[in-house]
Amino acid sequence: MQEFDLETQILAAAAQLERQGRYADTRRFVQHGGVTVYRHCVRVAVLSCRLADAFGWQVDRAALIRGALLHDYFLYDWHEKDDSHRLHGFTHPRTALRNACADWTLTDREQNIILRHMFPLTPVPPRCREGWLVCLADKLCAVQEMVTTRTARLRPRRAAA
């Protein structure tokens, strides 16, 4: 699949989620560094598809994209000082799944992608290729987002001309 077509397909899927549920709320919350949850999930979906192609894996592409887009559908600002956010890394997959199931009918594969994307932080691994792809892509994107944000703070600012 060509890159333009892939991103167009993923953005169309995200737009559909925005029309049908609370997905637009993901644009309000920051995930890693300065990246919104929305942008992070789109990036994870793109990378998950790229990894599937690179590995030559046959996957349910629609479930992969939808699961990736919904994997962080927890709908709160986990940076706020609040005891309910203290264990965010361990608890947000279940919260994301609960929220997604409240807004849409999900396949078993989509549910597994969302619920198991934090392995090995959460002890049960994904049981499908799509879940493994999102799990890996999520970690890679998170590291890149955090490093980019942190190194941007270290760059000297240029004086206005």
Side-chain angles (χ1 to χ4, degrees):
M1 182 175 289
Q2 291 183 336
E3 188 62 31
F4 176 76
D5 293 339
L6 174 61
E7 292 204 27
T8 300
Q9 180 183 6
I10 290 168
L11 291 174
Q16 183 176 8
L17 293 173
E18 286 186 282
R19 286 190 300 275
Q20 297 172 343
R22 298 172 283 168
Y23 200 72
D25 290 350
T26 62
R27 293 177 182 271
R28 294 186 307 134
F29 303 115
V30 173
Q31 180 62 320
H32 306 113
V35 178
T36 65
V37 172
Y38 174 89
R39 188 71 199 134
H40 168 73
C41 290
V42 167
R43 293 182 77 240
V44 169
V46 169
L47 184 55
S48 295
C49 291
R50 286 182 185 160
L51 290 170
D53 293 344
F55 296 157
W57 286 1
Q58 295 297 314
V59 296
D60 179 338
R61 188 77 118 189
L64 176 61
I65 290 170
R66 198 157 124 140
L69 289 173
L70 293 171
H71 81 277
D72 279 342
Y73 193 60
F74 45 81
L75 303 177
Y76 59 82
D77 183 354
W78 63 273
H79 301 90
E80 289 178 356
K81 298 289 185 199
D82 182 324
D83 284 347
S84 68
H85 305 160
R86 194 169 54 87
L87 298 174
H88 171 78
F90 297 96
T91 62
H92 82 270
R94 190 163 304 281
T95 302
L97 179 59
R98 188 177 330 110
N99 289 339
C101 286
D103 290 357
W104 300 280
T105 301
L106 302 178
T107 66
D108 289 344
R109 190 173 306 263
E110 291 165 342
Q111 290 181 42
N112 187 257
I113 292 167
I114 297 166
L115 189 60
R116 303 296 179 215
H117 79 273
M118 285 302 291
F119 180 79
L121 189 59
T122 55
V124 181
R127 67 171 187 262
C128 58
R129 285 181 175 182
E130 295 84 355
W132 282 106
L133 290 166
V134 171
C135 186
L136 177 58
D138 181 47
K139 273 71 175 161
L140 293 171
C141 287
V143 168
Q144 190 274 333
E145 291 161 5
M146 288 185 292
V147 167
T148 299
T149 300
R150 299 234 169 27
T151 57
R153 292 179 194 154
L154 299 175
R155 289 187 205 115
R157 293 184 184 190
R158 292 193 174 149

